[in-house]
Amino acid sequence: PDFGICLATGGGALFEFEEDRGEAIFPAPVLSLVQDHCTTTEEAVDMLIRYNDYWGPCNCVVGDAEGNGALIEKSKYQYALRSGKNEVLTSTYGGCDDEQMRRLCDTDNPLFKYYERRVSVMRAILAEGEAQGGIDGEVFWRAMLNHDEEGAGCQHRETMPPGVELFTHVAYYYLPAEKRTLRRAIARDKGRVLYPCEVPVVEIRA
């Protein structure tokens, strides 16, 4: 059947200026509940908003087989939502775009500045691909696994700038209507680390 949903999350901004309320919150597996019980982006967003206090902070992207997408930038207590139809929604860890959410952040933090550069490079590559005929798998890999010196998509531990300690361990895209995932994950070869840009694509069918 032609239905399906995909959901991906990544570490959001640090939200240094958001005051902690000191409230004890019983943990709930909200992201798993979305994947288990929602079949459309609208249903997923409704659940994520209703259970706002039980997940995050992170950046979250949701999409369904009809081309409906949503990007949620989430602090501990607040969120910003952007929705689109057949539209590219791009985010990555370390920062946010919404003006209200940015007011909760130290935008001079090295990680936040790295986020802004990194996501701008990804968006530029995707926009170029869209202008030249559309975004396919190859355009996606170019955007996600680029090696821009100031904000690489494929981050290698050996080349990260000061203040940025993470590195890329996997890149993937999911086709909800086809129930297919294509991924490139970090590996080892004779003791050497191979980053996603260095390994072949693996296809997984649901």
Side-chain angles (χ1 to χ4, degrees):
D2 188 20
F3 70 88
I5 190 170
C6 58
L7 179 149
T9 62
L14 298 178
F15 300 109
E16 297 94 335
F17 304 141
E18 183 173 59
E19 184 176 352
D20 194 311
R21 300 172 186 169
E23 301 170 346
I25 298 176
F26 186 81
V30 179
L31 301 180
S32 295
L33 289 172
V34 169
Q35 292 175 311
D36 290 342
H37 299 288
C38 301
T39 59
T40 67
T41 296
E42 183 178 7
E43 291 175 353
V45 169
D46 180 66
M47 181 175 285
L48 290 168
I49 290 174
R50 279 192 288 122
Y51 292 98
N52 175 59
D53 288 345
Y54 296 91
W55 66 285
C58 65
N59 290 335
C60 176
V61 178
V62 185
D64 64 25
E66 300 300 320
N68 301 299
L71 168 61
I72 300 176
E73 296 174 338
K74 177 80 169 64
S75 68
K76 188 171 183 178
Y77 306 110
Q78 302 181 51
Y79 68 88
L81 170 67
R82 176 184 169 193
S83 300
K85 173 80 172 180
N86 296 322
E87 178 184 348
V88 178
L89 299 172
T90 314
S91 185
T92 184
Y93 71 80
C96 56
D97 291 337
D98 180 81
E99 286 302 319
Q100 295 296 324
M101 301 301 288
R102 288 171 68 93
R103 292 175 184 174
L104 302 175
C105 302
D106 177 5
T107 55
D108 290 325
N109 182 295
L111 183 60
F112 197 99
K113 289 184 174 297
Y114 189 81
Y115 160 84
E116 292 190 308
R117 173 63 183 182
R118 187 170 186 242
V119 78
S120 70
V121 172
M122 290 179 177
R123 288 171 178 165
I125 295 172
L126 291 169
E128 180 182 11
E130 195 165 31
Q132 293 180 354
I135 297 173
D136 58 13
E138 290 306 312
V139 173
F140 174 85
W141 295 128
R142 286 205 309 273
M144 298 301 111
L145 300 179
N146 75 81
H147 294 102
D148 181 84
E149 292 184 0
E150 297 179 26
C154 189
Q155 302 167 117
H156 295 203
R157 182 174 53 188
E158 303 85 357
T159 59
M160 285 297 90
V164 182
E165 299 177 355
L166 300 177
F167 60 92
T168 303
H169 69 276
V170 66
Y172 66 91
Y173 62 90
Y174 179 58
L175 304 172
E178 302 173 25
K179 295 186 176 182
R180 292 195 300 138
T181 301
L182 293 100
R183 70 197 302 266
R184 298 168 74 168
I186 198 168
R188 282 189 176 274
D189 180 33
K190 299 178 181 178
R192 176 176 173 264
V193 173
L194 299 178
Y195 291 98
C197 62
E198 301 174 292
V199 300
V201 178
V202 175
E203 180 175 333
I204 303 169
R205 292 181 177 269

